[in-house]
Amino acid sequence: LAKTTQPISMDSYEGQEVNITCSHNNIATNDYITWYQQFPSQGPRFIIQGYKTKVTNEVASLFIPADRKSSTLSLPRVSLSDTAVYYCLVGALDNYGQNFVFGPGTRLSVLP
Amino acid sequence: DADVTQTPRNRITKTGKRIMLECSQTKGHDRMYWYRQDPGLGLRLIYYSFDVKDINKGEISDGYSVSRQAQAKFSLSLESAIPNQTALYFCATSERGRYTGELFFGEGSRLTVL
């Protein structure tokens, strides 16, 4: 299983762009990179997923360098409601549920 | 209504009691999972089921058992609850063969064992 490392916590201010980097040095060829968001007392929610280069949706962007040993979740112009824990997961889609490991995640605090 | 529903949402019990947490889903997904979350930690997989006849242990299955009563229902049991099983429990589903393999979570069941 590919182990991931991400910062335990980050602070930001409203309106700023936030970048959260995740390291996954032993990522396998078939592995995808997925990010989830979790608000207090709620289940995690899928944000974005990618394999390589850049993926963008209405919520975030995901940047993956060519060696795929790291990835960066970018949240544009954060608001107070983006305060949450963000998890980086790495794994093959076929074994998604059984092998994905939710580590401690990154606790993002957005300040006014 | 939520697509993945967990009951009860909160439960306080005593050491040695049997507890069942129930999960039902209306998403029509084949795959269901039970996770446990402790304060400040990520989620750890307890059991997962890829269909009604397929049950598999996850990372921390000791002290837990599950039952997949139907495609839409997956229950987690603690036969004899102990205090270190105090945690927030999440049920999740995913669709077999779906490109993203996205997990859909319930709102959680908070269990306190005294």
Side-chain angles (χ1 to χ4, degrees), chain B residues 21-38:
Chain B
L21 305 179
E22 299 184 332
C23 178
S24 63
Q25 52 115 345
T26 58
K27 300 191 73 67
H29 290 169
D30 292 315
R31 301 181 174 189
M32 299 187 73
Y33 313 82
W34 275 104
Y35 286 89
R36 165 180 173 159
Q37 184 171 39
D38 295 282

Side-chain angles (χ1 to χ4, degrees), chain B residues 2 14 16 19-20 24-25 35 39-41 44 47 49 54-55 69-71 74 78 80 88 96 99 103 105-106 108:
Chain B
K14 295 182 179 180
I19 288 294
M20 178 180 286
S24 63
Q25 52 115 345
Y35 286 89
L41 300 179
R44 291 182 290 171
Y47 270 95
S49 169
D54 178 76
I55 303 289
Q69 301 94 326
Q71 186 204 37
F74 193 36
L78 288 69
S80 179
L88 184 57
R96 181 180 59 186
Y99 175 71
L103 289 164
F105 285 84

